[in-house]
Amino acid sequence: MRTQRTKILTIRRLLLVAVVIIGALLQNCALSVGGIQICLLLPLSVIIAMFEKEFAGILYGILAGCLWDVSTTTADGMKALFLALTGCICGLLIRYIMRNNLLSALVLCGAASLVHNVLHWLIYVVPYADGMFSALFRFYIPQISVSVLAVIPLYFLLRILEKKYKVSEEA
């Protein structure tokens, strides 16, 4: 019984790591809509934390953030730290306050995306750009919208994965 549970957990965790790596590759190589980059790693971190809870949310957030930081010009670790904190907070909210459903995923991802993009705008755009409000309304706000829309297929994909490789809490 114990070895079967360990085997299922290992498979599920490796599949989640593969999903994060594929999400990073798609985000950094292929996905953009009208010049707006679709952020897949932020919704993935939120949704994984919703299913796996806070500690795993921190670890998968660090993985996703490191993959995201490696591909940016501002590789200062901000994204890894932010996604780790987001994973922890979302996991705790789902464990103690909220229910794990699509509406919760949309709300949590929308809030996380809003905070991330506003922080990024304040730190990297406002001090150095003349058209800072233009960048906010032409890039950052549409990026939030597109990233939140990406939650819908990602939530159902990860829910299917979680149900297929579900393990009992006892033993």
Side-chain angles (χ1 to χ4, degrees):
M1 180 74 179
R2 186 76 165 153
T3 58
Q4 181 68 17
R5 181 178 188 270
T6 306
K7 182 178 174 182
I8 291 171
L9 278 174
T10 304
I11 290 170
R12 185 169 79 187
R13 290 174 181 155
L14 288 175
L15 285 173
L16 287 174
V17 168
V19 166
V20 170
I21 291 171
I22 290 169
L25 288 172
L26 287 174
Q27 174 178 315
N28 297 326
C29 298
L31 293 178
S32 70
V33 175
I36 306 298
Q37 179 186 12
I38 299 174
C39 296
L40 289 177
L41 293 175
L42 191 111
L44 276 174
S45 296
V46 168
I47 296 168
I48 289 172
M50 288 175 67
F51 286 115
E52 298 290 320
K53 304 302 181 251
E54 65 275 357
F55 184 70
I58 292 171
L59 295 177
Y60 286 108
I62 289 172
L63 173 66
C66 287
L67 290 172
W68 197 356
D69 274 331
V70 164
S71 66
T72 62
T73 57
T74 58
D76 54 0
M78 176 190 158
K79 290 171 181 44
L81 178 63
F82 181 79
L83 290 182
L85 287 172
T86 301
C88 181
I89 291 168
C90 291
L92 287 170
L93 284 172
I94 292 299
R95 182 180 293 267
Y96 295 113
I97 297 174
M98 300 175 83
R99 300 190 86 187
N100 190 350
N101 56 30
L102 181 60
L103 182 62
S104 297
L106 289 168
V107 168
L108 289 174
C109 184
S113 185
L114 179 69
V115 169
H116 174 267
N117 283 343
V118 168
L119 279 175
H120 192 275
W121 178 72
L122 285 172
I123 293 170
Y124 296 113
V125 176
V126 170
Y128 305 110
D130 293 330
M132 60 185 162
F133 290 109
S134 174
L136 178 67
F137 292 112
R138 289 186 178 196
F139 180 75
Y140 289 102
I141 301 296
Q143 186 178 42
I144 293 168
S145 305
V146 172
S147 296
V148 169
L149 287 177
V151 168
I152 297 168
L154 291 174
Y155 181 81
F156 289 115
L157 172 78
L158 290 174
R159 189 172 87 177
I160 290 168
L161 186 88
E162 194 266 337
K163 285 186 185 271
K164 183 171 177 148
Y165 295 102
K166 186 158 181 75
V167 295
S168 63
E169 294 295 325
E170 61 221 28

